[in-house]
Short mmCIF file of all heavy atoms in Angstrom, two decimals:
data_model
loop_
_atom_site.label_atom_id
_atom_site.label_comp_id
_atom_site.label_asym_id
_atom_site.label_seq_id
_atom_site.Cartn_x
_atom_site.Cartn_y
_atom_site.Cartn_z
N LYS R 84 -10.57 9.95 4.04
CA LYS R 84 -11.54 10.52 4.97
C LYS R 84 -10.84 11.29 6.08
O LYS R 84 -11.26 12.38 6.45
CB LYS R 84 -12.43 9.44 5.55
CG LYS R 84 -13.48 9.98 6.48
CD LYS R 84 -14.68 9.09 6.49
CE LYS R 84 -15.75 9.59 7.41
NZ LYS R 84 -16.46 10.74 6.88
N LYS R 87 -9.41 14.57 4.68
CA LYS R 87 -10.48 15.54 4.45
C LYS R 87 -10.88 16.19 5.76
O LYS R 87 -11.03 17.40 5.84
CB LYS R 87 -11.68 14.85 3.81
CG LYS R 87 -12.82 15.78 3.49
CD LYS R 87 -13.95 15.02 2.83
CE LYS R 87 -15.14 15.94 2.62
NZ LYS R 87 -16.29 15.21 2.11
N ARG R 88 -11.03 15.39 6.82
CA ARG R 88 -11.39 15.93 8.12
C ARG R 88 -10.29 16.84 8.64
O ARG R 88 -10.54 17.87 9.22
CB ARG R 88 -11.69 14.79 9.09
CG ARG R 88 -12.23 15.29 10.40
CD ARG R 88 -12.71 14.18 11.30
NE ARG R 88 -11.72 13.12 11.43
CZ ARG R 88 -12.01 11.83 11.41
NH1 ARG R 88 -13.26 11.44 11.27
NH2 ARG R 88 -11.08 10.92 11.54
N GLY R 89 -9.03 16.47 8.42
CA GLY R 89 -7.92 17.29 8.85
C GLY R 89 -7.90 18.65 8.15
O GLY R 89 -7.64 19.68 8.78
N PHE R 90 -8.22 18.66 6.87
CA PHE R 90 -8.27 19.92 6.14
C PHE R 90 -9.43 20.78 6.62
O PHE R 90 -9.32 22.01 6.69
CB PHE R 90 -8.36 19.70 4.63
CG PHE R 90 -7.08 19.22 4.01
CD1 PHE R 90 -7.07 18.14 3.17
CD2 PHE R 90 -5.88 19.85 4.29
CE1 PHE R 90 -5.89 17.69 2.59
CE2 PHE R 90 -4.69 19.41 3.73
CZ PHE R 90 -4.70 18.33 2.88
N GLN R 91 -10.55 20.17 6.98
CA GLN R 91 -11.67 20.93 7.51
C GLN R 91 -11.31 21.56 8.86
O GLN R 91 -11.70 22.68 9.14
CB GLN R 91 -12.91 20.04 7.67
CG GLN R 91 -13.54 19.65 6.36
CD GLN R 91 -14.67 18.67 6.54
OE1 GLN R 91 -14.82 18.06 7.60
NE2 GLN R 91 -15.46 18.49 5.50
N ILE R 92 -10.57 20.85 9.67
CA ILE R 92 -10.15 21.39 10.97
C ILE R 92 -9.23 22.59 10.75
O ILE R 92 -9.33 23.61 11.44
CB ILE R 92 -9.47 20.30 11.82
CG1 ILE R 92 -10.51 19.27 12.28
CG2 ILE R 92 -8.75 20.90 13.01
CD1 ILE R 92 -9.92 18.04 12.91
N LEU R 93 -8.32 22.47 9.78
CA LEU R 93 -7.41 23.59 9.49
C LEU R 93 -8.17 24.82 9.01
O LEU R 93 -7.81 25.95 9.32
CB LEU R 93 -6.37 23.19 8.47
CG LEU R 93 -5.29 22.24 8.95
CD1 LEU R 93 -4.39 21.82 7.78
CD2 LEU R 93 -4.47 22.87 10.04
N ARG R 94 -9.22 24.61 8.23
CA ARG R 94 -10.00 25.74 7.72
C ARG R 94 -10.93 26.30 8.77
O ARG R 94 -11.44 27.39 8.63
CB ARG R 94 -10.82 25.31 6.50
CG ARG R 94 -9.98 25.11 5.28
CD ARG R 94 -10.86 24.95 4.07
NE ARG R 94 -11.89 23.96 4.31
CZ ARG R 94 -12.25 23.02 3.47
NH1 ARG R 94 -11.66 22.94 2.30
NH2 ARG R 94 -13.19 22.16 3.76
N GLY R 95 -11.20 25.51 9.82
CA GLY R 95 -12.05 26.01 10.90
C GLY R 95 -13.52 25.69 10.74
O GLY R 95 -14.34 26.19 11.50
N ASN R 96 -13.90 24.85 9.80
CA ASN R 96 -15.30 24.52 9.62
C ASN R 96 -15.54 23.02 9.81
O ASN R 96 -16.29 22.40 9.08
CB ASN R 96 -15.84 24.98 8.27
CG ASN R 96 -15.07 24.38 7.11
OD1 ASN R 96 -14.08 23.70 7.31
ND2 ASN R 96 -15.53 24.65 5.90
N ALA R 97 -14.88 22.44 10.80
CA ALA R 97 -15.07 21.03 11.09
C ALA R 97 -16.44 20.78 11.71
O ALA R 97 -16.96 21.60 12.43
CB ALA R 97 -13.98 20.54 12.05
N GLN R 98 -16.99 19.64 11.37
CA GLN R 98 -18.33 19.32 11.89
C GLN R 98 -18.24 18.26 12.95
O GLN R 98 -17.60 17.33 12.92
CB GLN R 98 -19.22 18.84 10.76
CG GLN R 98 -19.41 19.92 9.74
CD GLN R 98 -20.19 19.43 8.53
OE1 GLN R 98 -20.57 18.26 8.45
NE2 GLN R 98 -20.43 20.31 7.60
#
Side-chain angles (χ1 to χ4, degrees):
K84 182 152 180 75
K87 182 179 175 186
R88 187 172 49 222
F90 287 131
Q91 288 174 345
I92 290 170
L93 288 175
R94 287 191 310 225
N96 58 354
Q98 297 175 358

